[in-house]
Amino acid sequence: MSKYAMITTFLTKFLDDEVRKTGLEKVVVGLSGGLDSAVVAVLAHRAFGDDLLCVKMPSHYSSQSSLDDADELCERFGMRSETRSIEPLLKAYETPEMDNLRRGNFSARMRMATLFDISAREGALVLGTSNKSELMLGYGTLYGDLASAVNPIGDLYKTEVFELARHLEVPESIVGKPPSADLWAGQSDEEELGYTYAQLDAVLRRYVEERADRDELIGEGFEPALVDLVVTRIFRNQFKRKMPVIAKLTSRTINHDFNYPRDITL
């Protein structure tokens, strides 16, 4: 069995276990037409079949090609979907002085608010679609695309998600296009980050998995600016990977010394 066949089997079982232990049997995924959400949707469809609902949430800044790619994915795998535009929500709030960062963050949060409302309607859990590269670099919106109940791909680097997508036979229209959150016209992940995911992941693996330090990485030939960007972003964005800090005032404080497993039952 190949590496990605084993990962597929493991993640399908992971999703089944983590969702059903909550007493729920349905899931929802925000489907953008991009790589990460496509992979999560296909994995979820393997685990839940028609108990998966894919939700497309375009705005007036979304590209038609992204919607077309999402439709192609749903048609290929026979996945249920619906479209709920966030355009009215965004237009009601945005102002001419909003820059792309604010507009993008607001869009991401409106999408997640919409997705959680649909999950309540469906009696379903929201699945996350952030990969390890994004999580380590803090490349995501707190309470937006970083929010979810269960995330099956959060320990896979972006370059690994590409390989998993190919194993799952995700359409080439999705696998072959430049990564983008599609938050505004022409937005590109790699242009924003300043490096390709292949470059970023090479440093992330050495630094995170193999614990190489800055001097080692530079000695191995990695560009100092790249190394510094990765290390700085990892530490600067640690808060995005943690629950809110609670000031300790009592003998048993949540997340300090009142710590139970996530799935504890009476």
Side-chain angles (χ1 to χ4, degrees):
M1 182 182 290
S2 71
K3 171 184 175 180
Y4 289 101
M6 289 189 288
I7 288 173
T8 297
T9 299
F10 175 81
L11 292 180
T12 303
K13 182 69 163 56
F14 166 83
L15 284 170
D16 185 76
D17 288 345
E18 291 299 320
V19 171
R20 298 193 195 283
K21 70 173 56 170
T22 68
L24 299 175
E25 298 183 350
K26 297 180 180 180
V27 294
V28 294
V29 174
L31 195 63
S32 66
L35 183 79
D36 299 316
S37 64
V39 167
V40 172
V42 174
L43 290 170
H45 189 251
R46 285 172 173 255
F48 303 103
D50 286 342
D51 285 330
L52 159 71
L53 177 64
C54 298
V55 184
K56 296 169 287 182
M57 295 169 284
S59 76
H60 42 299
Y61 297 108
S62 300
S63 65
Q64 184 59 47
S65 63
S66 293
L67 291 171
D68 293 341
D69 293 342
D71 288 339
E72 181 185 358
L73 184 80
C74 290
E75 183 177 348
R76 172 175 292 193
F77 290 94
M79 298 187 295
R80 294 193 306 126
S81 69
E82 69 175 69
T83 301
R84 297 296 295 271
S85 174
I86 65 162
E87 181 175 342
L89 301 173
L90 183 53
K91 282 187 171 179
Y93 183 80
E94 69 177 333
T95 57
E97 67 268 17
M98 284 182 76
D99 60 20
N100 281 337
L101 177 62
R102 288 180 58 204
R103 187 177 292 108
N105 284 339
F106 187 80
S107 297
R109 290 181 178 123
M110 289 303 95
R111 287 192 172 105
M112 194 52 68
T114 300
L115 199 57
F116 269 95
D117 179 64
I118 291 173
S119 78
R121 184 196 75 194
E122 295 290 311
L125 282 186
V126 174
L127 299 186
T129 61
S130 294
N131 59 67
K132 190 169 187 173
S133 305
E134 293 170 338
L135 293 173
M136 293 307 302
L137 296 171
Y139 191 67
T141 301
L142 200 60
Y143 307 115
D145 51 311
L146 296 181
S148 67
V150 179
N151 181 347
I153 65 168
D155 207 24
L156 288 172
Y157 291 107
K158 183 74 171 190
T159 47
E160 294 175 310
V161 179
F162 273 106
E163 294 304 316
L164 180 56
R166 292 188 176 95
H167 171 77
L168 294 172
E169 299 183 345
V170 170
E172 183 59 29
S173 59
I174 293 175
V175 177
K177 67 183 179 182
S180 171
D182 205 28
L183 293 172
W184 58 83
Q187 187 262 335
S188 164
D189 293 359
E190 293 177 328
E191 283 185 14
E192 277 196 89
L193 290 166
Y195 295 92
T196 67
Y197 276 113
Q199 292 171 309
L200 293 162
D201 285 358
V203 175
L204 281 167
R205 283 195 186 92
R206 287 287 289 126
Y207 187 79
V208 176
E209 312 302 329
E210 300 168 22
R211 305 195 180 195
D213 62 26
R214 180 181 185 276
D215 291 340
E216 287 179 286
L217 290 165
I218 293 173
E220 292 169 9
F222 289 106
E223 181 184 335
L226 169 59
V227 175
D228 289 341
L229 178 141
V230 168
V231 174
T232 299
R233 289 192 69 120
I234 287 174
F235 284 95
R236 183 178 292 165
N237 291 292
Q238 172 68 356
F239 75 97
K240 290 187 177 183
R241 297 185 289 270
K242 304 288 287 185
M243 293 293 289
V245 177
I246 296 174
K248 183 170 177 60
L249 295 171
T250 64
S251 62
R252 298 193 72 197
T253 306
I254 296 168
N255 294 334
H256 288 278
D257 35 37
F258 189 84
N259 293 312
Y260 289 112
R262 171 187 169 96
D263 53 349
I264 191 170
T265 58
L266 287 174

